[in-house]
Amino acid sequence: DRDWKEIEKDSVLKALVVYSNTSYFLYKGQPMGFEYELLERLAKDLGLRLQLTVSEYLDNEFEVLNRGDVDLIAHGMTITNQRKWEVDFTDYLYLTKQVLVQKKPDNFRNLSRGSLQKRLIKDPVELINDTISVRKNSSYYERILSLNNEIGGRIIIDTLSSHLTTDEIIDMVANGEIRYTVADENLAKINASYRPILDVSVPISFSQRIAWVTRKKSGELRNKINQWLKKQRKTTDYNVIYNKYFKNKRSFRRRVKSDYFSLSENQISSYDRLIKKHAETIGWDWRLIASQIYQESKFDPYSVSWAGAQGLLQIMPATAKAIGVTNPNDPNQSIKAGVKYLNINQGYFEEVTASIEKIKLTLA
């Protein structure tokens, strides 16, 4: 029954997000994504603090929402009549259509356009008796069922794990692990810009509305979000944010090829191994140390501050000398010394029993 009055009283908007190439991700230690940027603006305009939960199972998101764990599912979901039995949708974020994602032949660059077209599916009818791989509780699954009726034949549906995002499934096609999948056109195109071996030119649906999801009983919250979205869609900022994640191919390729893109490399920085090793000596979550390094130096081992602090953790020369650092630009020495210095500071607060408060005091 949690609706706007309860949310306003708590001053917290709880949103469920998906960790993906476009919706929400970390890049150079910074949270980014289409949904993330919109949510930040929404929470600020509503006077709320934003609390994010990353979805682990895409198949049970409606259950998570309806039992009250979150107030909003904030990633692009296709509005369908079947889904409206369980939840209500906000006003739409954008329009798109579903397309077939297929892999071109490995030697596609050497083929003529005509030869290439002969090797690819050009019409959904050609998929009869073939297999498409999608998550079961997705709009793509619903679309293939409808398509079977429309074409008067059977397309075999291979159901995939609910852990997998659409981006990861698209990668499976590119890697040859599955033959075909279905994706929203904007997602498919931006991923194909990085994976030219993919063909995403065959539509399998008409235009569809993509929106966020609320509980049926959250009418007031939904009205607040709808009013906000209608205003936002008319602004330049909204279009800039959309283009940033779905249209800017150069920026997308730069992100996914970067060592600092957590989705492709499954890491925060190229120093994660060292950070994990030295974080054990102080008993802190290594990601907190990584966050501190980002704040200090943006992961640049040669960074020098105006005051003369050097290295990943910006250690002052006198401090470096006192704790045995011979080369402040060496990542191993810098992280080891920085963690040692944090541990020394932590020792000043032995009388503080709450571990989180002790960490805050140490960082301060």
Side-chain angles (χ1 to χ4, degrees):
D1 293 334
R2 180 178 160 91
D3 199 356
W4 171 248
K5 289 180 181 177
E6 289 76 21
I7 293 168
E8 186 179 34
K9 183 179 179 181
D10 292 345
S11 297
V12 177
L13 177 65
K14 301 175 183 179
L16 188 69
V17 294
V18 167
Y19 206 66
S20 75
N21 286 339
T22 52
S23 183
Y24 170 68
F25 58 88
L26 293 178
Y27 176 56
K28 294 187 175 181
Q30 292 263 66
M32 295 180 67
F34 176 70
E35 260 79 20
Y36 176 75
E37 291 202 29
L38 290 185
L39 283 169
E40 273 207 313
R41 284 166 168 75
L42 171 64
K44 182 179 179 182
D45 289 349
L46 294 179
L48 303 173
R49 180 171 61 84
L50 180 62
Q51 179 180 306
L52 298 181
T53 300
V54 177
S55 177
E56 293 184 16
Y57 304 97
L58 299 184
D59 284 354
N60 75 342
E61 290 185 324
F62 291 173
E63 179 186 339
V64 172
L65 174 71
N66 284 327
R67 73 179 177 220
D69 294 359
V70 297
D71 305 312
L72 176 70
I73 298 175
H75 67 86
M77 298 194 79
T78 306
I79 300 174
T80 67
N81 286 329
Q82 183 173 337
R83 286 173 167 173
K84 286 181 179 178
W85 285 98
E86 296 183 71
V87 294
D88 273 335
F89 291 88
T90 65
D91 200 27
Y92 72 91
L93 298 162
Y94 52 83
L95 302 176
T96 189
K97 57 187 174 186
Q98 295 183 15
V99 297
L100 179 72
V101 180
Q102 58 184 319
K103 184 182 179 184
K104 301 172 187 174
D106 291 335
N107 64 337
F108 75 96
R109 295 185 191 278
N110 300 322
L111 298 175
S112 67
R113 181 176 177 82
S115 297
L116 178 59
Q117 289 301 307
K118 289 178 182 177
R119 305 276 291 274
L120 295 173
I121 297 290
K122 300 179 289 299
D123 189 285
V125 171
E126 298 173 46
L127 290 165
I128 292 174
N129 296 325
D130 214 331
T131 301
I132 297 182
S133 303
V134 294
R135 293 187 310 273
K136 184 170 183 179
N137 288 335
S138 65
S139 60
Y140 311 134
Y141 184 93
E142 291 180 42
R143 180 62 199 140
I144 298 169
L145 292 178
S146 298
L147 193 58
N148 280 339
N149 289 326
E150 293 167 18
I151 63 178
R154 180 172 177 255
I155 299 171
I156 301 164
I157 305 176
D158 168 38
T159 53
L160 299 174
S161 168
S162 63
H163 285 287
L164 295 170
T165 65
T166 302
D167 301 306
E168 290 171 320
I169 296 171
I170 290 173
D171 281 343
M172 290 171 70
V173 176
N175 296 333
E177 298 172 53
I178 55 176
R179 283 174 62 82
Y180 310 110
T181 193
V182 177
D184 292 335
E185 186 180 41
N186 56 348
L187 282 176
K189 281 186 172 180
I190 197 68
N191 276 278
S193 72
Y194 169 62
R195 300 275 207 170
I197 200 166
L198 294 174
D199 179 89
V200 296
S201 63
V202 180
I204 65 165
S205 79
F206 296 111
S207 290
Q208 296 177 315
R209 293 173 298 161
I210 305 299
W212 290 342
V213 183
T214 65
R215 284 183 294 275
K216 284 187 169 294
K217 293 184 178 180
S218 298
E220 287 185 69
L221 171 65
R222 191 162 52 255
N223 289 336
K224 292 274 184 184
I225 295 173
N226 287 345
Q227 291 169 17
W228 184 84
L229 280 174
K230 286 172 183 175
K231 289 180 182 177
Q232 287 297 308
R233 283 206 311 267
K234 297 175 183 177
T235 66
T236 301
D237 276 357
Y238 186 88
N239 292 308
V240 167
I241 294 169
Y242 180 87
N243 291 341
K244 178 179 178 180
Y245 294 106
F246 295 112
K247 293 289 185 72
N248 192 327
K249 297 177 181 179
R250 181 182 297 177
S251 177
F252 182 83
R253 288 194 294 269
R254 184 170 63 246
R255 284 200 305 271
V256 296
K257 289 180 179 179
S258 169
D259 288 341
Y260 303 122
F261 187 57
S262 56
L263 274 161
S264 57
E265 298 298 330
N266 198 26
Q267 61 183 22
I268 294 174
S269 76
S270 52
Y271 307 109
D272 286 5
R273 183 182 60 80
L274 288 173
I275 299 170
K276 290 174 184 178
K277 173 185 173 183
H278 294 301
E280 289 180 2
T281 64
I282 193 174
W284 285 16
D285 188 319
W286 72 274
R287 294 168 298 180
L288 179 57
I289 304 294
S291 300
Q292 181 69 8
I293 293 172
Y294 176 78
Q295 291 298 328
E296 296 283 3
S297 65
K298 302 292 188 290
F299 298 116
D300 178 4
Y302 298 98
S303 177
V304 180
S305 78
W306 64 271
Q310 294 177 273
L312 289 173
L313 273 163
Q314 292 291 280
I315 300 168
M316 292 293 286
T319 305
K321 185 177 180 180
I323 54 182
V325 176
T326 57
N327 180 6
N329 301 129
D330 175 66
N332 184 52
Q333 286 194 44
S334 181
I335 296 170
K336 181 180 180 180
V339 172
K340 184 176 180 180
Y341 186 62
L342 286 169
N343 208 13
I344 291 170
N345 284 334
Q346 186 170 236
Y348 298 145
F349 306 108
E350 289 182 355
E351 70 278 12
V352 180
T353 55
S355 60
I356 295 298
E357 297 306 314
K358 185 181 289 188
I359 288 171
K360 289 178 181 178
L361 288 164
T362 302
L363 289 170

